[in-house]
Amino acid sequence: MFRFRVSFLASILLFFFLSCGNKAEKKTTDTTAKKINTKTEEVKDSVQPVAKTETDTFQLDEENAIDFFFDYAKELKENKVRLTTSLGSFTVQLYDNVPYHKANFIYLTKQGYFDNTQFHRVVKNFIIQGGSSDDKETSGKRSRIGRYLLPPDTRKGHSHHRGTISMPSSERDNPHKLASPYEFFIVVTKPGSYHLDGSYTPFGKVIEGMDIVDKINQTPVDEGDWPMRNVYILKAQVL
């Protein structure tokens, strides 16, 4: 009988200790789970959502171009551009009193527009004309920058002397001789081509490398005045 009581008491004690152990283990597990959850929440709170950047979709058009270049010209300090071509380099200085055309040329240069374009029209002893190309890259740049024209600015006292850089008119129906902003021509005639005065806008002059301009002008061309061997503007750089 005594053994039975001892055995029964031992069983009760064993059950009690096991129960306490399970509770302790459960409590520890619950505490650990709470710590893990707390850390997870802290990590979630510390992670900030990445701000989405909107792609700049600004494009020039015939309604906003003049206002844009008016403001752009106010901030301009530079007035020289170096054009490195496949036949050598030359530098042009832009006139300050022809603000829209100057601002346009510098803006396109900084946009990288002229890089990898060509001198697509060469008329012997008259002009070289650049800024266009027959590849998709150039048309893609024009689409990205925008479609617009510039008004003529022919009353600032500048003439088409030899070395003058000027802007051709658009090939579109254009009775007012609005300028095609993506192209330019340089006069090589001695002493100049003054019959162009009043119809086109001189906006600068070659101040270095006129021998390279002459070299481009002497390259062989086809019946459409396109050089038989492409003459590229490899890089245009604002100085």
Side-chain angles (χ1 to χ4, degrees):
M1 186 68 171
F2 177 75
R3 289 181 180 178
F4 172 76
R5 289 180 178 177
V6 172
S7 179
F8 177 75
L9 182 60
S11 298
I12 292 175
L13 291 174
L14 180 61
F15 176 79
F16 176 79
F17 284 123
L18 288 175
S19 298
C20 290
N22 289 337
K23 289 181 180 179
E25 182 180 354
K26 184 177 180 182
K27 185 176 182 180
T28 303
T29 303
D30 291 342
T31 303
T32 304
K34 288 180 180 179
K35 288 182 178 179
I36 293 174
N37 290 335
T38 301
K39 289 182 178 180
T40 303
E41 293 299 325
E42 289 176 354
V43 171
K44 287 182 179 179
D45 292 340
S46 65
V47 176
Q48 299 297 325
V50 178
K52 294 182 179 180
T53 57
E54 295 183 2
T55 303
D56 184 9
T57 58
F58 173 75
Q59 285 187 317
L60 290 167
D61 57 39
E62 293 183 4
E63 293 185 0
N64 65 22
I66 295 302
D67 289 339
F68 174 81
F69 286 122
F70 178 79
D71 293 333
Y72 191 79
K74 292 179 181 178
E75 306 298 326
L76 279 182
K77 304 297 182 183
E78 309 97 330
N79 67 349
K80 296 182 181 69
V81 175
R82 177 182 294 126
L83 292 98
T84 301
T85 79
S86 51
L87 293 179
S89 300
F90 62 89
T91 302
V92 297
Q93 182 174 353
L94 308 178
Y95 301 140
D96 291 329
N97 66 344
V98 191
Y100 299 121
H101 295 70
K102 171 189 173 183
N104 172 78
F105 197 75
I106 289 181
Y107 177 74
L108 294 181
T109 298
K110 290 185 175 182
Q111 292 292 310
Y113 169 75
F114 294 112
D115 299 352
N116 299 316
T117 57
Q118 301 172 23
F119 285 95
H120 57 282
R121 182 171 178 244
V122 173
V123 182
K124 292 290 189 295
N125 301 315
F126 179 38
I127 64 165
I128 63 172
Q129 184 168 330
S132 187
S133 179
D134 55 0
D135 59 29
K136 293 182 179 180
E137 180 185 1
T138 300
S139 61
K141 288 179 182 180
R142 292 190 181 199
S143 297
R144 176 177 59 83
I145 295 171
R147 182 181 176 88
Y148 62 102
L149 298 174
L150 293 178
D153 194 357
T154 60
R155 299 181 180 180
K156 299 298 176 64
H158 303 298
S159 293
H160 287 83
H161 302 297
R162 170 175 161 81
T164 294
I165 181 171
S166 188
M167 199 169 289
S169 58
S170 170
E171 294 179 357
R172 286 188 264 167
D173 183 17
N174 188 11
H176 300 294
K177 298 276 188 182
L178 298 179
S180 176
Y182 292 108
E183 299 180 18
F184 63 91
F185 66 86
I186 299 174
V187 176
V188 300
T189 314
K190 297 178 182 180
S193 292
Y194 303 116
H195 65 285
L196 301 176
D197 293 354
S199 296
Y200 305 96
T201 303
F203 62 96
K205 62 182 178 180
V206 176
I207 59 172
E208 183 180 345
M210 192 63 195
D211 57 322
I212 301 301
V213 175
D214 289 331
K215 188 176 181 180
I216 295 171
N217 185 250
Q218 294 306 310
T219 190
V221 297
D222 62 18
E223 294 180 355
D225 296 325
W226 192 290
M228 301 288 288
R229 183 176 181 179
N230 289 334
V231 181
Y232 288 96
I233 299 174
L234 304 176
K235 182 72 175 178
Q237 179 182 7
V238 177
L239 302 180

